[in-house]
Amino acid sequence: MTNSYGDHLETEQKYDAGADFTLPELGSLPGLSGRRPQSKRYYLSATYFDTEDFDLNQNRITLRRRVGGSDEGWHLKLPVRKDTRQELHAPLDDGPDGVVPARLATRVQDITAGRRLRPIAILDTERTVVTLTGKSGEPLVEVADDRVTATQFGRAGEEPMRWREIEVEVVAEGKEEEQASQLLEEVGRVLREAGAARSSSGSKLGRLLQSLLIANPEVPDTLLALAGNVRGD
């Protein structure tokens, strides 16, 4: 359910896809309208925040300020269960000059314990979105084809990391949620048959942290746990 801030439960799955991957036709899946879904393209730029010791990531929490797309603003994602997070929002202008909005900062103050939240990475994404609708036209599942460029702050001179992934998210509410959840699994099956693979990282930030470990084996083992713990885009 969504409130006036745009807060909601987010249920999604992520899939790795190669540069030559072709998104399969999904509009003809059972229970859908049968119409070929139209796509929309967005350009997103997200700055991720954490403490110097990655306290949020250690607790499977992500915090970002994203510009672009239909839900730009501040997003705080808290783990609920497998594939599901509680996503809390705040407007872009609630956090000028990189200051985390109080509404979100207070939700993690027990974890940060007074340590400053600072920018740790910036991710730019070219996103192509397809919305799958039911027979009455109601939106059920959103499929986002993302081409990502990621850079970690404080690592000047390093080449950005680039990859492609597919996000499949339930967007239905109320009585259509059960149908949408079943569709989430069906879309995943079709994507795997087309050559995509379930992502080993729960989030884009997690993938960036994992790449840091591969490129820098001397990085402390604690970062390995961080990379595995991150959930949510």
Side-chain angles (χ1 to χ4, degrees), residues 19 32 56 62 71 74 77 85 95 102 109 120 129 139 146 153 187 190 195-196 205:
L32 298 185
L56 296 187
T62 56
D71 65 343
W74 288 85
K77 298 191 179 188
R85 289 149 295 277
Q109 62 185 1
I120 60 170
V129 176
D146 288 347
F153 288 115
V187 170
V190 174
L205 181 59

Side-chain angles (χ1 to χ4, degrees), residues 1-225:
M1 180 176 294
T2 302
N3 65 16
S4 59
Y5 283 98
D7 300 345
H8 63 279
L9 281 179
E10 174 192 74
T11 299
E12 70 176 12
Q13 296 178 356
K14 294 178 181 290
Y15 295 86
D16 294 335
D20 58 350
F21 178 80
T22 300
L23 192 68
E25 171 57 47
L26 300 168
S28 60
L29 290 174
L32 298 185
S33 63
R35 296 185 294 271
R36 185 179 182 86
Q38 299 297 309
S39 63
K40 295 182 179 180
R41 182 165 296 179
Y42 301 97
Y43 294 92
L44 318 173
S45 185
T47 301
Y48 286 77
F49 289 75
D50 206 335
T51 66
E52 184 175 357
D53 295 327
F54 297 92
D55 293 294
L56 296 187
N57 288 339
Q58 290 189 68
N59 287 274
R60 297 175 57 204
I61 295 170
T62 56
L63 172 63
R64 72 183 179 211
R65 182 181 188 273
R66 189 165 76 184
V67 177
S70 59
D71 65 343
E72 69 176 6
W74 288 85
H75 304 154
L76 175 66
K77 298 191 179 188
L78 307 169
V80 176
R81 55 183 179 271
K82 184 177 182 291
D83 295 332
T84 300
R85 289 149 295 277
Q86 177 70 43
E87 183 172 322
L88 308 179
H89 287 197
L92 281 176
D93 56 7
D94 273 13
D97 301 321
V99 178
V100 177
R103 177 174 187 264
L104 304 185
T106 55
R107 290 296 299 263
V108 295
Q109 62 185 1
D110 289 346
I111 294 171
T112 58
R115 291 179 286 274
R116 185 174 72 90
L117 289 165
R118 61 187 181 89
I120 60 170
I122 186 165
L123 278 71
D124 295 320
T125 302
E126 178 183 329
R127 167 169 287 184
T128 302
V129 176
V130 172
T131 302
L132 305 181
T133 59
K135 294 185 180 299
S136 300
E138 68 280 11
L140 297 174
V141 165
E142 185 176 273
V143 181
D145 186 350
D146 288 347
R147 299 176 186 269
V148 186
T149 301
T151 305
Q152 185 181 10
F153 288 115
R155 304 188 68 82
E158 291 194 0
E159 285 293 316
M161 182 180 175
R162 295 179 173 86
W163 72 90
R164 183 181 178 191
E165 70 179 40
I166 312 296
E167 290 186 2
V168 187
E169 180 180 353
V170 170
V171 294
E173 294 185 356
K175 62 182 181 180
E176 286 86 17
E177 281 191 71
E178 182 177 352
Q179 179 187 357
S181 296
Q182 295 172 351
L183 182 59
L184 181 78
E185 300 297 332
E186 183 66 13
V187 170
R189 179 189 64 78
V190 174
L191 291 175
R192 291 191 299 272
E193 290 178 352
R198 189 71 190 266
S199 179
S200 60
S201 297
S203 76
K204 294 177 173 63
L205 181 59
R207 186 188 293 262
L208 179 61
L209 291 175
Q210 288 174 338
S211 74
L212 172 63
L213 288 165
I214 293 171
N216 301 274
E218 73 278 5
V219 170
D221 288 343
T222 52
L223 273 182
L224 180 60

